[in-house]
Amino acid sequence: MSTATTTPQSGPRTDPEPVERRSRRFGLPVATALVMGNIIGGGIFLLPASVAPFGTISLVAFGVLTLGAIALALVFGRLAHRHPRTGGPYVYAREAFGDFAGFLTAWSYWITTWVSNAALAVAAVGYLDVLIPLHGSTPATIAAALLIQWLPALANLAGTRCVGAVQLVATVLKFLPLLLVAFGGLFFFDSDNLGPFHAGGDSALGAVSASAAILLFSYLGVESAAVSAGEVRDPRRNVGRATVLGTLAAALLYLLTTLSVFGTVPHERLVASSAPFTDSVNLVFGGSWGGTAVACMALVSMLGALNGWTLLSAQTPYAAARDGLFPKAFAHKRRGVPTVGVIVTVVLASLLTVYNYTAGTEGVFETLVLVTTFTATVPYLLSSAAQFFFLLSGQSDRVHRPRLIRDTLLTLAAFGFSLWLVAGSGYAAVYQGVLFLFAGVLVYAGMAGRRQRA
């Protein structure tokens, strides 16, 4: 290998992806729904109560985070325009820094997806219990959690058309009631319910940072359209638009729903609430049907998120497998979906779910979920660094000169936002997340050795 190449990539370039039939690809509306659905999972139903102890200053943190997320979305859009292939962050890191960086990105992202899927399923069971009481039965709870995981997996195995249809329907069903709360609650907004602007004992900057640490992970998923670029029609045009539109829509809904709940639920009650949306609906519309309504919304939200994350969980290993960095089986596609990746991911998530319910140690599972908040940011950091590399390397096919300053500032903002995500993960999560990454080094060594021998 010559050391004079423009990019430090050691492995062979990925060949262009096989052209899928147009019917098996999805356009801008579904790509936008994929981004929105993956960003907004079940956490939105708990966020207002989580940040209420800091006061309405937490809305400032929301604004700062939104700017960072939009910067990251714009960077992904520019990267997808240059490299419109399935794999997203993996493709960008490999193009810029070579096989090892690409593998670490794929490995890190893959860990994030299947552990997060298990977490979503466990959380969804809690809301399902409101609709169909499981009476604390461990076998029934496990069966419900596995069903919640396998239904989206089956939708994925049916092909990208089915994935797109489910995602679009789930997004519509999820956002209609959320919009009702967001805008309907504003008609009953009472400023007396807001409480103090700065409720904590720390400084204002400390309060913003503390509330931001809770809100940071609400924007995970901005890369969704970029990861699935190979399944998007006209990806150079649609991936960037879907990423920005989906992020903006999710951010707007986050801000409106949080503000609406702040203004309809008294601050003292909101701080102690375990179901802030239920309290808001009950106070605005009267009655006690809010719990059932919120449970339905949360269940639809999580099923939609699982549908999208299941697709993403297979796309990055698929791209890496085509380059010889993951087992070859992951490169098999059927109806536009990497079937082996979907099956392996849902099996691993199912095993983790069963372990969570049978081990009787919630702390172990919570630690694993927290680790995913770190592993999810590794692809963000490497993608931002890759964009920075492309800009500074002066490669004419990748850089539009008039946009150089703007793109550089956006890239630095996205990198800073990603670092903030890592810091918000906490020392324990970063420490254990690094161990997860290093475990993948042995897998990379094995795959690289086999490829070299071949």
Side-chain angles (χ1 to χ4, degrees), residues 193-223:
N193 291 328
L194 293 177
F197 175 72
H198 180 201
D202 297 332
S203 64
L205 181 60
V208 170
S209 298
S211 55
I214 298 173
L215 301 169
L216 279 172
F217 316 113
S218 305
Y219 287 102
L220 295 180
V222 297
E223 75 290 343

PDB file of all heavy atoms in Angstrom, residues 193-223:
ATOM      1  N   ASN A 193     -48.027  28.209  37.297  1.00  0.00           N
ATOM      2  CA  ASN A 193     -47.606  26.819  37.452  1.00  0.00           C
ATOM      3  C   ASN A 193     -46.123  26.604  37.156  1.00  0.00           C
ATOM      4  O   ASN A 193     -45.576  25.542  37.466  1.00  0.00           O
ATOM      5  CB  ASN A 193     -48.424  25.910  36.519  1.00  0.00           C
ATOM      6  CG  ASN A 193     -49.866  25.805  36.933  1.00  0.00           C
ATOM      7  OD1 ASN A 193     -50.180  25.866  38.124  1.00  0.00           O
ATOM      8  ND2 ASN A 193     -50.763  25.660  35.958  1.00  0.00           N
ATOM      9  N   LEU A 194     -45.495  27.590  36.554  1.00  0.00           N
ATOM     10  CA  LEU A 194     -44.116  27.405  36.099  1.00  0.00           C
ATOM     11  C   LEU A 194     -43.125  27.247  37.246  1.00  0.00           C
ATOM     12  O   LEU A 194     -42.111  26.584  37.105  1.00  0.00           O
ATOM     13  CB  LEU A 194     -43.683  28.588  35.225  1.00  0.00           C
ATOM     14  CG  LEU A 194     -44.392  28.713  33.876  1.00  0.00           C
ATOM     15  CD1 LEU A 194     -43.921  29.976  33.161  1.00  0.00           C
ATOM     16  CD2 LEU A 194     -44.128  27.482  33.019  1.00  0.00           C
ATOM     17  N   GLY A 195     -43.412  27.854  38.370  1.00  0.00           N
ATOM     18  CA  GLY A 195     -42.466  27.806  39.466  1.00  0.00           C
ATOM     19  C   GLY A 195     -41.293  28.732  39.210  1.00  0.00           C
ATOM     20  O   GLY A 195     -41.310  29.556  38.292  1.00  0.00           O
ATOM     21  N   PRO A 196     -40.219  28.598  39.991  1.00  0.00           N
ATOM     22  CA  PRO A 196     -39.071  29.507  39.845  1.00  0.00           C
ATOM     23  C   PRO A 196     -38.302  29.240  38.548  1.00  0.00           C
ATOM     24  O   PRO A 196     -38.292  28.126  38.027  1.00  0.00           O
ATOM     25  CB  PRO A 196     -38.207  29.179  41.070  1.00  0.00           C
ATOM     26  CG  PRO A 196     -38.569  27.773  41.416  1.00  0.00           C
ATOM     27  CD  PRO A 196     -40.016  27.613  41.082  1.00  0.00           C
ATOM     28  N   PHE A 197     -37.667  30.282  38.040  1.00  0.00           N
ATOM     29  CA  PHE A 197     -36.839  30.120  36.845  1.00  0.00           C
ATOM     30  C   PHE A 197     -35.625  29.258  37.142  1.00  0.00           C
ATOM     31  O   PHE A 197     -35.241  28.402  36.352  1.00  0.00           O
ATOM     32  CB  PHE A 197     -36.388  31.496  36.343  1.00  0.00           C
ATOM     33  CG  PHE A 197     -35.429  31.440  35.184  1.00  0.00           C
ATOM     34  CD1 PHE A 197     -35.866  31.075  33.914  1.00  0.00           C
ATOM     35  CD2 PHE A 197     -34.085  31.754  35.369  1.00  0.00           C
ATOM     36  CE1 PHE A 197     -34.978  31.009  32.846  1.00  0.00           C
ATOM     37  CE2 PHE A 197     -33.193  31.696  34.304  1.00  0.00           C
ATOM     38  CZ  PHE A 197     -33.642  31.323  33.045  1.00  0.00           C
ATOM     39  N   HIS A 198     -35.027  29.489  38.315  1.00  0.00           N
ATOM     40  CA  HIS A 198     -33.847  28.721  38.737  1.00  0.00           C
ATOM     41  C   HIS A 198     -34.153  28.103  40.102  1.00  0.00           C
ATOM     42  O   HIS A 198     -34.089  28.785  41.122  1.00  0.00           O
ATOM     43  CB  HIS A 198     -32.620  29.634  38.806  1.00  0.00           C
ATOM     44  CG  HIS A 198     -31.369  28.939  39.223  1.00  0.00           C
ATOM     45  ND1 HIS A 198     -30.277  29.595  39.744  1.00  0.00           N
ATOM     46  CD2 HIS A 198     -31.034  27.617  39.215  1.00  0.00           C
ATOM     47  CE1 HIS A 198     -29.332  28.728  40.029  1.00  0.00           C
ATOM     48  NE2 HIS A 198     -29.771  27.526  39.717  1.00  0.00           N
ATOM     49  N   ALA A 199     -34.513  26.813  40.090  1.00  0.00           N
ATOM     50  CA  ALA A 199     -34.987  26.172  41.319  1.00  0.00           C
ATOM     51  C   ALA A 199     -33.874  25.513  42.110  1.00  0.00           C
ATOM     52  O   ALA A 199     -34.038  25.208  43.285  1.00  0.00           O
ATOM     53  CB  ALA A 199     -36.059  25.129  40.976  1.00  0.00           C
ATOM     54  N   GLY A 200     -32.758  25.244  41.494  1.00  0.00           N
ATOM     55  CA  GLY A 200     -31.691  24.528  42.175  1.00  0.00           C
ATOM     56  C   GLY A 200     -30.820  25.441  43.004  1.00  0.00           C
ATOM     57  O   GLY A 200     -30.914  26.667  42.963  1.00  0.00           O
ATOM     58  N   GLY A 201     -29.903  24.818  43.770  1.00  0.00           N
ATOM     59  CA  GLY A 201     -28.985  25.588  44.600  1.00  0.00           C
ATOM     60  C   GLY A 201     -27.698  25.935  43.891  1.00  0.00           C
ATOM     61  O   GLY A 201     -26.899  26.727  44.405  1.00  0.00           O
ATOM     62  N   ASP A 202     -27.452  25.353  42.721  1.00  0.00           N
ATOM     63  CA  ASP A 202     -26.238  25.622  41.976  1.00  0.00           C
ATOM     64  C   ASP A 202     -26.347  26.962  41.249  1.00  0.00           C
ATOM     65  O   ASP A 202     -27.383  27.613  41.248  1.00  0.00           O
ATOM     66  CB  ASP A 202     -25.966  24.504  40.965  1.00  0.00           C
ATOM     67  CG  ASP A 202     -25.733  23.170  41.647  1.00  0.00           C
ATOM     68  OD1 ASP A 202     -25.259  23.188  42.801  1.00  0.00           O
ATOM     69  OD2 ASP A 202     -26.024  22.126  41.027  1.00  0.00           O
ATOM     70  N   SER A 203     -25.264  27.323  40.596  1.00  0.00           N
ATOM     71  CA  SER A 203     -25.277  28.521  39.775  1.00  0.00           C
ATOM     72  C   SER A 203     -26.162  28.291  38.555  1.00  0.00           C
ATOM     73  O   SER A 203     -26.540  27.152  38.240  1.00  0.00           O
ATOM     74  CB  SER A 203     -23.856  28.859  39.323  1.00  0.00           C
ATOM     75  OG  SER A 203     -23.350  27.834  38.487  1.00  0.00           O
ATOM     76  N   ALA A 204     -26.480  29.375  37.859  1.00  0.00           N
ATOM     77  CA  ALA A 204     -27.315  29.249  36.666  1.00  0.00           C
ATOM     78  C   ALA A 204     -26.642  28.360  35.626  1.00  0.00           C
ATOM     79  O   ALA A 204     -27.284  27.503  34.997  1.00  0.00           O
ATOM     80  CB  ALA A 204     -27.597  30.634  36.083  1.00  0.00           C
ATOM     81  N   LEU A 205     -25.318  28.533  35.451  1.00  0.00           N
ATOM     82  CA  LEU A 205     -24.590  27.703  34.489  1.00  0.00           C
ATOM     83  C   LEU A 205     -24.597  26.245  34.921  1.00  0.00           C
ATOM     84  O   LEU A 205     -24.749  25.332  34.099  1.00  0.00           O
ATOM     85  CB  LEU A 205     -23.149  28.213  34.352  1.00  0.00           C
ATOM     86  CG  LEU A 205     -22.260  27.453  33.362  1.00  0.00           C
ATOM     87  CD1 LEU A 205     -22.862  27.518  31.955  1.00  0.00           C
ATOM     88  CD2 LEU A 205     -20.843  28.016  33.375  1.00  0.00           C
ATOM     89  N   GLY A 206     -24.466  26.016  36.223  1.00  0.00           N
ATOM     90  CA  GLY A 206     -24.502  24.646  36.730  1.00  0.00           C
ATOM     91  C   GLY A 206     -25.857  24.004  36.525  1.00  0.00           C
ATOM     92  O   GLY A 206     -25.954  22.820  36.211  1.00  0.00           O
ATOM     93  N   ALA A 207     -26.925  24.806  36.692  1.00  0.00           N
ATOM     94  CA  ALA A 207     -28.274  24.272  36.486  1.00  0.00           C
ATOM     95  C   ALA A 207     -28.504  23.906  35.021  1.00  0.00           C
ATOM     96  O   ALA A 207     -29.115  22.873  34.707  1.00  0.00           O
ATOM     97  CB  ALA A 207     -29.314  25.292  36.943  1.00  0.00           C
ATOM     98  N   VAL A 208     -28.004  24.753  34.109  1.00  0.00           N
ATOM     99  CA  VAL A 208     -28.140  24.450  32.680  1.00  0.00           C
ATOM    100  C   VAL A 208     -27.381  23.180  32.334  1.00  0.00           C
ATOM    101  O   VAL A 208     -27.888  22.297  31.625  1.00  0.00           O
ATOM    102  CB  VAL A 208     -27.623  25.642  31.826  1.00  0.00           C
ATOM    103  CG1 VAL A 208     -27.532  25.245  30.355  1.00  0.00           C
ATOM    104  CG2 VAL A 208     -28.529  26.843  31.999  1.00  0.00           C
ATOM    105  N   SER A 209     -26.167  23.041  32.856  1.00  0.00           N
ATOM    106  CA  SER A 209     -25.365  21.852  32.571  1.00  0.00           C
ATOM    107  C   SER A 209     -25.993  20.591  33.165  1.00  0.00           C
ATOM    108  O   SER A 209     -26.005  19.535  32.533  1.00  0.00           O
ATOM    109  CB  SER A 209     -23.941  22.029  33.126  1.00  0.00           C
ATOM    110  OG  SER A 209     -23.297  23.122  32.513  1.00  0.00           O
ATOM    111  N   ALA A 210     -26.532  20.717  34.384  1.00  0.00           N
ATOM    112  CA  ALA A 210     -27.132  19.556  35.039  1.00  0.00           C
ATOM    113  C   ALA A 210     -28.387  19.098  34.303  1.00  0.00           C
ATOM    114  O   ALA A 210     -28.595  17.889  34.097  1.00  0.00           O
ATOM    115  CB  ALA A 210     -27.465  19.889  36.491  1.00  0.00           C
ATOM    116  N   SER A 211     -29.237  20.041  33.911  1.00  0.00           N
ATOM    117  CA  SER A 211     -30.439  19.657  33.173  1.00  0.00           C
ATOM    118  C   SER A 211     -30.077  19.157  31.774  1.00  0.00           C
ATOM    119  O   SER A 211     -30.716  18.247  31.240  1.00  0.00           O
ATOM    120  CB  SER A 211     -31.409  20.842  33.077  1.00  0.00           C
ATOM    121  OG  SER A 211     -30.787  21.978  32.509  1.00  0.00           O
ATOM    122  N   ALA A 212     -29.018  19.731  31.191  1.00  0.00           N
ATOM    123  CA  ALA A 212     -28.578  19.277  29.872  1.00  0.00           C
ATOM    124  C   ALA A 212     -28.097  17.836  29.925  1.00  0.00           C
ATOM    125  O   ALA A 212     -28.297  17.070  28.971  1.00  0.00           O
ATOM    126  CB  ALA A 212     -27.465  20.182  29.345  1.00  0.00           C
ATOM    127  N   ALA A 213     -27.466  17.442  31.048  1.00  0.00           N
ATOM    128  CA  ALA A 213     -27.000  16.063  31.178  1.00  0.00           C
ATOM    129  C   ALA A 213     -28.154  15.075  31.083  1.00  0.00           C
ATOM    130  O   ALA A 213     -27.987  13.952  30.603  1.00  0.00           O
ATOM    131  CB  ALA A 213     -26.269  15.893  32.512  1.00  0.00           C
ATOM    132  N   ILE A 214     -29.337  15.491  31.538  1.00  0.00           N
ATOM    133  CA  ILE A 214     -30.517  14.620  31.442  1.00  0.00           C
ATOM    134  C   ILE A 214     -31.095  14.646  30.038  1.00  0.00           C
ATOM    135  O   ILE A 214     -31.558  13.625  29.504  1.00  0.00           O
ATOM    136  CB  ILE A 214     -31.582  15.073  32.466  1.00  0.00           C
ATOM    137  CG1 ILE A 214     -31.040  14.937  33.896  1.00  0.00           C
ATOM    138  CG2 ILE A 214     -32.869  14.267  32.313  1.00  0.00           C
ATOM    139  CD1 ILE A 214     -31.958  15.511  34.945  1.00  0.00           C
ATOM    140  N   LEU A 215     -31.057  15.815  29.410  1.00  0.00           N
ATOM    141  CA  LEU A 215     -31.686  15.993  28.101  1.00  0.00           C
ATOM    142  C   LEU A 215     -30.793  15.595  26.935  1.00  0.00           C
ATOM    143  O   LEU A 215     -31.290  15.427  25.817  1.00  0.00           O
ATOM    144  CB  LEU A 215     -32.085  17.463  27.926  1.00  0.00           C
ATOM    145  CG  LEU A 215     -33.051  18.032  28.965  1.00  0.00           C
ATOM    146  CD1 LEU A 215     -33.131  19.550  28.814  1.00  0.00           C
ATOM    147  CD2 LEU A 215     -34.422  17.423  28.809  1.00  0.00           C
ATOM    148  N   LEU A 216     -29.502  15.454  27.185  1.00  0.00           N
ATOM    149  CA  LEU A 216     -28.542  15.233  26.109  1.00  0.00           C
ATOM    150  C   LEU A 216     -28.932  14.089  25.177  1.00  0.00           C
ATOM    151  O   LEU A 216     -28.816  14.175  23.961  1.00  0.00           O
ATOM    152  CB  LEU A 216     -27.162  14.943  26.707  1.00  0.00           C
ATOM    153  CG  LEU A 216     -26.330  16.141  27.145  1.00  0.00           C
ATOM    154  CD1 LEU A 216     -25.083  15.680  27.880  1.00  0.00           C
ATOM    155  CD2 LEU A 216     -25.948  16.999  25.970  1.00  0.00           C
ATOM    156  N   PHE A 217     -29.413  13.013  25.761  1.00  0.00           N
ATOM    157  CA  PHE A 217     -29.623  11.801  24.980  1.00  0.00           C
ATOM    158  C   PHE A 217     -30.986  11.758  24.306  1.00  0.00           C
ATOM    159  O   PHE A 217     -31.352  10.770  23.690  1.00  0.00           O
ATOM    160  CB  PHE A 217     -29.419  10.586  25.892  1.00  0.00           C
ATOM    161  CG  PHE A 217     -28.205  10.731  26.759  1.00  0.00           C
ATOM    162  CD1 PHE A 217     -28.316  10.860  28.127  1.00  0.00           C
ATOM    163  CD2 PHE A 217     -26.943  10.779  26.183  1.00  0.00           C
ATOM    164  CE1 PHE A 217     -27.187  11.030  28.917  1.00  0.00           C
ATOM    165  CE2 PHE A 217     -25.816  10.955  26.968  1.00  0.00           C
ATOM    166  CZ  PHE A 217     -25.937  11.074  28.332  1.00  0.00           C
ATOM    167  N   SER A 218     -31.724  12.863  24.427  1.00  0.00           N
ATOM    168  CA  SER A 218     -33.015  12.938  23.764  1.00  0.00           C
ATOM    169  C   SER A 218     -32.872  13.078  22.255  1.00  0.00           C
ATOM    170  O   SER A 218     -33.833  12.857  21.522  1.00  0.00           O
ATOM    171  CB  SER A 218     -33.808  14.140  24.299  1.00  0.00           C
ATOM    172  OG  SER A 218     -33.932  14.078  25.690  1.00  0.00           O
ATOM    173  N   TYR A 219     -31.681  13.458  21.805  1.00  0.00           N
ATOM    174  CA  TYR A 219     -31.478  13.703  20.380  1.00  0.00           C
ATOM    175  C   TYR A 219     -30.725  12.581  19.681  1.00  0.00           C
ATOM    176  O   TYR A 219     -30.355  12.724  18.511  1.00  0.00           O
ATOM    177  CB  TYR A 219     -30.745  15.026  20.177  1.00  0.00           C
ATOM    178  CG  TYR A 219     -31.621  16.229  20.453  1.00  0.00           C
ATOM    179  CD1 TYR A 219     -31.524  16.941  21.636  1.00  0.00           C
ATOM    180  CD2 TYR A 219     -32.558  16.648  19.526  1.00  0.00           C
ATOM    181  CE1 TYR A 219     -32.324  18.038  21.891  1.00  0.00           C
ATOM    182  CE2 TYR A 219     -33.377  17.738  19.767  1.00  0.00           C
ATOM    183  CZ  TYR A 219     -33.248  18.432  20.950  1.00  0.00           C
ATOM    184  OH  TYR A 219     -34.064  19.522  21.207  1.00  0.00           O
ATOM    185  N   LEU A 220     -30.454  11.489  20.383  1.00  0.00           N
ATOM    186  CA  LEU A 220     -29.835  10.352  19.708  1.00  0.00           C
ATOM    187  C   LEU A 220     -30.777   9.847  18.620  1.00  0.00           C
ATOM    188  O   LEU A 220     -31.962   9.647  18.851  1.00  0.00           O
ATOM    189  CB  LEU A 220     -29.548   9.228  20.711  1.00  0.00           C
ATOM    190  CG  LEU A 220     -28.513   9.527  21.797  1.00  0.00           C
ATOM    191  CD1 LEU A 220     -28.335   8.324  22.697  1.00  0.00           C
ATOM    192  CD2 LEU A 220     -27.190   9.939  21.196  1.00  0.00           C
ATOM    193  N   GLY A 221     -30.243   9.649  17.434  1.00  0.00           N
ATOM    194  CA  GLY A 221     -31.056   9.197  16.309  1.00  0.00           C
ATOM    195  C   GLY A 221     -31.013  10.145  15.124  1.00  0.00           C
ATOM    196  O   GLY A 221     -31.613   9.863  14.082  1.00  0.00           O
ATOM    197  N   VAL A 222     -30.282  11.268  15.249  1.00  0.00           N
ATOM    198  CA  VAL A 222     -30.222  12.230  14.142  1.00  0.00           C
ATOM    199  C   VAL A 222     -29.554  11.618  12.909  1.00  0.00           C
ATOM    200  O   VAL A 222     -29.746  12.096  11.790  1.00  0.00           O
ATOM    201  CB  VAL A 222     -29.483  13.517  14.543  1.00  0.00           C
ATOM    202  CG1 VAL A 222     -30.217  14.236  15.637  1.00  0.00           C
ATOM    203  CG2 VAL A 222     -28.043  13.230  14.969  1.00  0.00           C
ATOM    204  N   GLU A 223     -28.803  10.534  13.115  1.00  0.00           N
ATOM    205  CA  GLU A 223     -28.082   9.907  12.007  1.00  0.00           C
ATOM    206  C   GLU A 223     -28.913   8.886  11.243  1.00  0.00           C
ATOM    207  O   GLU A 223     -28.425   8.265  10.295  1.00  0.00           O
ATOM    208  CB  GLU A 223     -26.824   9.211  12.554  1.00  0.00           C
ATOM    209  CG  GLU A 223     -27.062   7.904  13.288  1.00  0.00           C
ATOM    210  CD  GLU A 223     -27.761   8.041  14.630  1.00  0.00           C
ATOM    211  OE1 GLU A 223     -27.804   9.157  15.175  1.00  0.00           O
ATOM    212  OE2 GLU A 223     -28.265   7.031  15.141  1.00  0.00           O
TER     213      GLU A 223
END
